Amino acid sequence: MGETATNSVLGRIAAAGREERKAKAMTLPKAMRLTLAKVADALMDLPVAVIGGVVDSVDGETIETHLNESALLMVLDGPDGHVGAAVFEATVVGGLIQQQTMGAVQADMGATRTMTRTDAAICAPLIDALLERVCPVLDDPDEVALIDGYRFGAKADDARTLAMALDAHEYAVIRLTVDIARGARQGEIQFILPVPDTSNTALPEDGEWDEGAAPNMTDTVMGLNADLQMVLCRLHLPLRALQALSEGDELPLEPGAFPKVQIMTNTGRVVGRGIVGHVDGVRAVKPQRKPSHASQPLRRESDEHMVDMPRVEELATPNRRDDDPMDVSEADIEAAMAALRPADVPTAVTAVVDADIDDADIKLPSVDALPDLDELPDLADLPDLSDLPDLSELPDLGAEAAR
């Protein structure tokens, strides 16, 4: 009984301490209330009081339902390409315009008008100063990360366009109900900011980063996905035949297409080739590696065992001398010429080798031995000379006689 009472007393003391600490902490609604009043007074000499502030968490898919089409819709540019939004009700924008132009704020008469870029330009300095000065006074680091780095970007045309720009999964909607010029006007200001993802940026328990655990550029690039397409073959079909295709139709493949699969990127670039097969009952493509000799030719004698080619033996000649390959006798030359000379071509003139042509005994036939011209046949009875072979194919007899 005494222990239960003691725990109850300690619990109440701890709860009171938490409430006191929470009351003294500078939360986001409180920081917005104090900062907006100071910024409006410094920039526009306008008394503005925040009479209500709420921070809600909204799903990104339903963010369009929180955008008022008749209000002034503005895009906020954030760090790392993030996008936020600021929504000023028409009555608030009217009060700011009157203060800037006439120096006094009049009561809202309920008249509506289309918001313009001039309205956004007048509200932009107030937005930038508020978001810049509210960060240093916040105590919660998560709230600082939510606000820090955002500035006015541009006016949005409509709610649908602004909702398309807001593509985060979760948003924090800061609703501020403001009083302008001591009750002259009242309206609502909203800041819609994406909730930062701090799951991957939390410090370790010892409070220090491990530099070795941080991924480098090589690991990041090598971890990216690469989509590849396996093209078995290409078919050319008429458009009529293509439209007539239905389930169960068969398309003829080119012969030998399975060993010639093309590995292509999404842009159509061929990065390799492969062979269609299967692994554990699933179709697979085995890439064909480029042989090493394609980039490193095997030219040395020491690379002979790596070349898949038959060995070419040197042809042995009977009369070849290793010391003097050009020492060939005249008998070898005569034997070679005799082998090349056609057998059916008679030799017209016989010459003696190794003798002077002037000393050679050349016997010519006698003129009396020639036949009479009357005994020669008539040329009209000669056969057709077109059947004779081409004389250009006969060897040069003069060269033969010179030998």
Side-chain angles (χ1 to χ4, degrees):
M1 184 70 179
E3 183 178 357
T4 304
T6 303
N7 292 337
S8 179
V9 172
L10 293 177
R12 288 197 297 269
I13 295 175
R18 287 194 299 269
E19 293 295 333
E20 182 179 0
R21 184 167 61 98
K22 187 182 297 184
K24 294 180 180 180
M26 184 61 69
T27 61
L28 182 57
K30 184 188 296 185
M32 283 286 189
R33 177 174 60 84
L34 298 176
T35 307
L36 181 58
K38 295 180 180 179
V39 168
D41 181 67
L43 293 180
M44 301 180 178
D45 195 18
L46 176 65
V48 175
V50 178
I51 58 179
V54 179
V55 180
D56 295 331
S57 180
V58 178
D59 188 3
E61 296 180 356
T62 61
I63 196 65
E64 188 174 357
T65 59
H66 297 269
L67 302 177
N68 186 1
E69 192 70 43
S70 61
L72 176 60
L73 306 176
M74 294 168 286
V75 179
L76 300 180
D77 295 332
D80 300 329
H82 295 297
V83 177
V87 182
F88 282 38
E89 283 191 348
T91 181
V92 177
V93 176
L96 299 179
I97 296 294
Q98 291 178 0
Q99 180 67 24
Q100 289 290 87
T101 56
M102 299 184 298
V105 178
Q106 300 178 357
D108 184 16
M109 303 302 296
T112 60
R113 65 180 181 85
T114 303
M115 298 290 104
T116 63
R117 295 182 180 179
T118 303
D119 300 330
I122 292 178
C123 297
L126 180 67
I127 294 174
D128 292 343
L130 174 62
L131 297 178
E132 180 181 357
R133 297 184 184 183
V134 76
C135 286
V137 299
L138 292 173
D139 293 335
D140 191 350
D142 293 338
E143 294 178 344
V144 175
L146 180 66
I147 298 292
D148 191 20
Y150 282 90
R151 296 180 58 85
F152 170 81
K155 177 187 177 298
D157 295 334
D158 49 36
R160 181 177 177 275
T161 304
L162 182 57
M164 292 176 62
L166 303 175
D167 55 357
H169 296 288
E170 185 180 3
Y171 286 90
V173 180
I174 307 171
R175 293 187 177 90
L176 303 176
T177 303
V178 298
D179 178 89
I180 301 176
R182 300 181 179 86
R185 288 173 178 249
Q186 290 184 357
E188 188 176 79
I189 297 177
Q190 293 185 24
F191 292 98
I192 304 174
L193 303 174
V195 177
D197 184 9
T198 59
S199 58
N200 297 328
T201 58
L203 287 173
E205 296 181 357
D206 55 0
E208 296 181 357
W209 289 105
D210 185 6
E211 296 181 358
N216 54 26
M217 181 62 70
T218 302
D219 296 336
T220 303
V221 173
M222 296 304 294
L224 298 177
N225 294 328
D227 297 331
L228 298 177
Q229 300 177 1
M230 308 302 169
V231 180
L232 183 61
C233 66
R234 298 180 182 273
L235 299 177
H236 298 276
L237 298 175
L239 182 59
R240 183 182 298 101
L242 182 62
Q243 293 177 343
L245 290 177
S246 60
E247 184 178 356
D249 292 344
E250 297 182 358
L251 296 176
L253 299 181
E254 299 177 358
F258 285 90
K260 301 178 181 179
V261 176
Q262 292 183 344
I263 305 176
M264 302 175 59
T265 63
N266 291 336
T267 59
R269 177 187 176 188
V270 179
V271 296
R273 297 183 181 275
I275 303 175
V276 174
H278 65 88
V279 177
D280 298 332
V282 180
R283 288 294 181 187
V285 174
K286 180 181 179 181
Q288 294 179 341
R289 294 185 177 273
K290 189 176 182 180
S292 59
H293 62 264
S295 57
Q296 300 176 356
L298 304 177
R299 303 188 181 94
R300 300 179 179 85
E301 185 178 358
S302 59
D303 300 333
E304 184 178 355
H305 66 282
M306 294 184 291
V307 180
D308 187 13
M309 295 183 64
R311 179 178 178 84
V312 179
E313 299 292 342
E314 183 180 2
L315 296 178
T317 56
N319 298 320
R320 178 175 176 180
R321 299 179 182 178
D322 296 336
D323 54 347
D324 188 7
M326 297 302 294
D327 187 7
V328 182
S329 63
E330 296 178 355
D332 296 336
I333 298 177
E334 182 65 22
M337 295 301 297
L340 295 176
R341 182 181 302 116
D344 56 347
V345 178
T347 303
V349 181
T350 302
V352 180
V353 182
D354 295 334
D356 193 348
I357 191 64
D358 297 333
D359 299 334
D361 186 11
I362 302 176
K363 297 180 179 181
L364 297 177
S366 175
V367 178
D368 299 334
L370 296 177
D372 191 4
L373 295 179
D374 296 335
E375 298 178 2
L376 296 178
D378 189 13
L379 295 179
D381 298 333
L382 293 177
D384 188 9
L385 299 181
S386 60
D387 297 333
L388 295 178
D390 189 7
L391 298 181
S392 61
E393 298 179 358
L394 296 178
D396 188 5
L397 300 180
E400 294 293 334
R403 294 189 179 89

